[in-house]
Amino acid sequence: MPNHYETSNQSYPVLYLLHGGGGKIGTKRHQRLIEEFKLKETLDKAISDTSITPMIVIIPDAGMSYYMNNINGDYQYEDYFINELIPHIEKSYRCETGKNNTGIAGFSMGGFGALLYSLQYPNKFSAVAAIGPAIRTDNEIQEMPHEQYLRRYKSAVGNVNKEDERITNFWHSNSILYLFQNLPKEQEDQVKIQIVIGDEDYLYRGNSELHVIMNDKNIAHEYRVVDGKHFEYFNSEIMRALKFISKNIKE
């Protein structure tokens, strides 16, 4: 919350900030994002020196859901986020509601989730900022070792067997690359997009392919390659993402 939230009657725009999938076993991943990136201090300073507009920042815990609904219908995180969390926040806090007052951003797995929701619900978000988003090509998904695949995607895809096909209609319905490749023309300019990837990030291939798709389709976006491996550059890019969201809400 902005420091003056409790002492004012002002309403504020909202940023939903989505955590990544890393962290020690037993730790809350959203708490790790707050602590390691010193987000409260960063936000307080940025608001006080007017680098960004005052805003309410919501960091929900998504476990390893990849922010997707489960294929079997028994863990519907996306439905919860859109149909329960957002209405709860807007009812419980002094929020300026609607698309023009709402942004979404994320790191790694959270960058994937932020892009996914901006594609699925362009009427709800004015801008999306994805830092090192966990975008993988179909080949990377198919070639990923089975245990690693389950660790990352079991919450969404269920307990699949080694021989099961991974590139399915369900995967396409949640694939950032597939969704952008098939994005309807009328949706191409509905959300402002910023994507940042490290030049040594192991996720470079999926992000590079997304950049090519978006360029080929003339989808306006800001795409930057910065120094560093995955996670190394996250702290240095937080402020840039916050400024991008701030610029594109309440315009």
Side-chain angles (χ1 to χ4, degrees):
M1 298 292 174
N3 281 334
H4 45 67
Y5 179 89
E6 298 295 344
T7 58
S8 77
N9 293 317
Q10 183 179 346
S11 295
Y12 301 91
V14 181
L15 168 62
Y16 292 91
L17 186 57
L18 311 185
H19 65 77
K24 297 178 182 178
I25 295 175
T27 62
K28 295 291 187 180
R29 292 176 174 86
H30 70 308
Q31 192 65 33
R32 177 199 183 206
L33 191 156
I34 295 168
E35 293 171 353
E36 292 193 19
F37 297 158
K38 295 181 170 57
L39 278 176
K40 186 178 188 309
E41 295 88 340
T42 299
L43 286 162
D44 287 346
K45 183 178 184 302
I47 290 172
S48 66
D49 67 16
T50 68
S51 295
I52 64 172
T53 189
M55 62 179 75
I56 295 171
V57 179
I58 305 298
I59 307 176
D61 181 11
M64 274 300 292
S65 66
Y66 259 82
Y67 299 90
M68 291 191 280
N69 281 341
N70 173 271
I71 190 171
N72 299 318
D74 52 15
Y75 185 61
Q76 306 300 76
Y77 190 87
E78 180 182 320
D79 289 353
Y80 157 74
F81 188 99
I82 298 298
N83 299 324
E84 297 184 41
L85 178 63
I86 291 179
H88 171 74
I89 296 300
E90 293 180 346
K91 180 180 178 181
S92 302
Y93 300 97
R94 293 197 310 276
C95 302
E96 294 190 3
T97 60
K99 172 185 173 75
N100 292 335
N101 298 299
T102 310
I104 190 165
F107 306 83
S108 191
M109 180 182 77
F112 173 96
L115 287 168
L116 179 65
Y117 290 173
S118 73
L119 285 160
Q120 305 283 43
Y121 308 96
N123 61 320
K124 290 190 176 295
F125 306 102
S126 63
V128 56
I131 302 176
I135 300 169
R136 293 179 170 88
T137 66
D138 287 358
N139 282 341
E140 287 177 313
I141 292 295
Q142 290 172 319
E143 294 172 2
M144 186 179 293
H146 187 63
E147 288 185 5
Q148 187 181 140
Y149 175 70
L150 288 181
R151 180 175 65 81
R152 288 195 166 102
Y153 298 106
K154 181 179 178 180
S155 174
V157 303
N159 194 20
V160 298
N161 298 314
K162 283 186 178 181
E163 64 273 15
D164 290 343
E165 176 57 54
R166 297 177 183 178
I167 307 305
T168 61
N169 289 336
F170 174 80
W171 177 254
H172 281 159
S173 69
N174 291 282
S175 165
I176 304 301
L177 297 174
Y178 184 87
L179 291 170
F180 268 110
Q181 183 67 67
N182 294 278
L183 194 67
K185 186 69 177 175
E186 63 272 14
Q187 192 179 321
E188 290 179 357
D189 61 353
Q190 288 190 21
V191 181
K192 304 296 184 184
I193 303 168
Q194 180 190 74
I195 300 168
V196 178
I197 188 70
D199 58 357
E200 295 183 80
D201 196 317
Y202 63 85
L203 292 165
Y204 80 93
R205 192 178 302 277
N207 281 270
S208 299
E209 186 169 317
L210 175 59
H211 180 49
V212 170
I213 290 171
M214 296 176 79
N215 274 346
D216 286 348
K217 290 175 67 69
N218 294 314
I219 299 173
H221 65 292
E222 178 182 318
Y223 181 83
R224 298 180 60 256
V225 178
V226 299
D227 292 341
K229 298 177 181 179
H230 194 66
F231 192 78
E232 288 180 347
Y233 56 93
F234 286 14
N235 259 319
S236 62
E237 291 301 314
I238 290 172
M239 184 53 65
R240 196 185 306 272
L242 291 171
K243 288 181 177 179
F244 179 81
I245 295 294
S246 179
K247 174 186 175 183
N248 289 292
I249 54 179
K250 299 191 68 177
E251 280 196 337

